[in-house]
Amino acid sequence: MEAYVGTIMLWPCNWVPDGWLACSGQTLTVNGNQALFSLIGAIYGGDGTSTFKLPNLNGRVAVGVDNTTQFQFGKSGGNANNPVSFSGMGVGSVTLNASQMPQHSHAVPSLPMMVNLPAYAGGDADQSAPQTTSVFGVGNYTDGVVNYPVNVYSSNTPDTTISAKGTTSSGGVTGSAGNGQPVVMPVDLSKAGGVSTAVQPWAALTYIICLVGYYPPRP
């Protein structure tokens, strides 16, 4: 199968034709492979005097050079083995934990929910009107006859939470809780398994490189 020395192509068979080698990062001798060495040198490894290496494309996808620090000629990156795992019908996935999740938001559907609000239950409330640092507290003044203003807000550090049951969302949560902090809608990663796709759809073939063939003319 004639080609220019150094040509790399995908091969659909489980064997390699004569004059070609699989691109598996193997070490070759310079004396026995002078034509190929004169083209690729020790870019992919070896001492550059008596040995050199072929590019290793096992479990990797070739990308075009873009002359940046990310995709420099002859360099490789990523991890062909970990943390990617394969299961089922060749689906690649990687398990993420909460610390690896970027900051993001979720739309809240219009349905009843429960929102936990901070409160102070350790003593009497001391404010009749909410302040920017107030939380809900325990009312402390009424005689059952005269309607006096009742303190229901506290300036103390919250020590518990109360649940606003039956609260209905109209598609999003805005505003703040009693201590001026945003209302938090927790996302439970365990319910989704904490799994995210990490590998594009793939089919395994063999990359091969021409060892014996036409010597390519330089421009």
Side-chain angles (χ1 to χ4, degrees):
M1 189 168 63
E2 297 294 337
Y4 284 126
V5 174
T7 296
I8 291 178
M9 62 180 289
L10 284 172
W11 182 248
C13 305
N14 62 356
W15 50 271
V16 178
D18 288 340
W20 295 69
L21 289 174
C23 293
S24 301
Q26 61 269 51
T27 300
L28 304 181
T29 62
V30 173
N31 288 339
N33 304 277
Q34 292 183 0
L36 183 57
F37 175 74
S38 70
L39 294 171
I40 68 174
I43 294 173
Y44 305 101
D47 60 20
T49 302
S50 59
T51 64
F52 69 104
K53 289 187 176 183
L54 298 183
N56 186 359
L57 287 168
N58 290 345
R60 296 184 179 276
V61 176
V63 298
V65 175
D66 66 357
N67 296 318
T68 69
T69 56
Q70 182 70 22
F71 300 116
Q72 293 183 359
F73 182 76
K75 303 297 182 180
S76 61
N79 194 320
N81 298 308
N82 294 314
V84 177
S85 61
F86 295 89
S87 60
M89 298 298 292
V91 178
S93 64
V94 56
T95 300
L96 302 177
N97 59 46
S99 66
Q100 295 169 316
M101 293 291 289
Q103 184 176 356
H104 63 287
S105 60
H106 291 263
V108 179
S110 180
L111 47 78
M113 67 181 68
M114 182 181 294
V115 178
N116 290 330
L117 301 176
Y120 176 69
D124 289 341
D126 58 5
Q127 295 174 335
S128 61
Q131 306 297 319
T132 56
T133 58
S134 297
V135 298
F136 288 114
V138 180
N140 71 341
Y141 189 81
T142 181
D143 62 6
V145 178
V146 180
N147 293 325
Y148 294 101
V150 177
N151 294 337
V152 294
Y153 302 98
S154 175
S155 60
N156 292 285
T157 301
D159 56 9
T160 186
T161 60
I162 57 176
S163 299
K165 297 181 179 179
T167 302
T168 301
S169 166
S170 59
V173 177
T174 59
S176 65
N179 63 350
Q181 299 300 313
V183 174
V184 176
M185 300 301 298
V187 177
D188 188 352
L189 293 179
S190 65
K191 295 299 187 296
V195 175
S196 176
T197 299
V199 177
Q200 63 184 348
W202 56 271
L205 289 84
T206 302
Y207 280 103
I208 60 175
I209 186 169
C210 182
L211 191 64
V212 179
Y214 300 113
Y215 194 84
R218 293 183 179 274

